[in-house]
Amino acid sequence: MTPALRSDMKRVVVLGGSGFVGRALCRRLVARWPALCVVVPTRRAGHAQALRPLPTVLTPVADVHDAATLANLLTGADAVVNLVAILHGSEGAFDKVHVELPQKIARACAAAGVHRLVHISALGAGLDAPSMYQRSKARGEAALQAAAAAGTLDLTLL
């Protein structure tokens, strides 16, 4: 189903919105703010199948790791929520998802004029944490906090 969207609708981009937490968040956003357009980019259309019945959710197929694609997705957005994460992988994979992607998101937000970013991090994130996951999450947080300190983002870290 294609949502009936109006030009006056606020727009939120939820990265990682087809995952477990993202699906619950999108349902809550639509229930709480029925005039909110929620854009959930997904690598594969089938991953977002559970979101399609929601009346104001769009699920474009897109690679959010591509800087140009990410910039296009954020154009005209009022806010961004980043839920993208992996639990297992190599140090390079963790860096790509938890450090490089937040850096790209910060740059894309600045370029698109999006000031509000909500970023989901992890319990125990720290530069000296015991796992690669937690250390990479801490480096991603640091990148976003630097952008917020520069005045380009109104950042909420969870």
Side-chain angles (χ1 to χ4, degrees):
M1 164 164 66
T2 301
L5 304 177
R6 301 184 319 268
S7 61
D8 64 331
M9 294 176 85
K10 296 273 187 194
R11 198 166 140 244
V12 173
V13 177
V14 180
L15 304 171
S18 61
F20 179 75
V21 172
R23 290 189 309 268
L25 173 64
C26 290
R27 285 191 295 271
R28 294 285 294 215
L29 289 172
V30 169
R32 177 83 163 98
W33 294 285
L36 179 68
C37 174
V38 180
V39 179
V40 182
T42 182
R43 287 176 292 157
R44 293 180 199 89
H47 289 180
Q49 189 169 356
L51 297 173
R52 286 198 194 104
L54 298 175
T56 58
V57 173
L58 299 174
T59 57
V61 174
D63 177 5
V64 298
H65 293 278
D66 178 73
T69 299
L70 188 58
N72 286 336
L73 287 167
L74 300 191
T75 300
D78 295 286
V80 176
V81 177
N82 181 32
L83 301 168
V84 178
I86 58 172
L87 293 175
H88 306 284
S90 66
E91 190 164 0
F94 282 125
D95 281 344
K96 177 181 178 184
V97 174
H98 300 154
V99 182
E100 294 170 21
L101 181 58
Q103 291 169 337
K104 289 176 186 177
I105 293 168
R107 286 191 296 269
C109 282
V114 178
H115 297 286
R116 166 53 69 194
L117 173 62
V118 177
H119 176 78
I120 307 303
S121 186
L123 292 175
L127 296 176
D128 60 350
S131 73
M132 286 188 295
Y133 170 80
Q134 293 168 314
R135 291 189 301 272
S136 66
K137 282 295 209 172
R139 290 191 304 276
E141 283 183 17
L144 293 174
Q145 288 170 331
T152 59
L153 279 179
D154 184 5
L155 175 66
T156 299
L157 284 173
L158 300 172

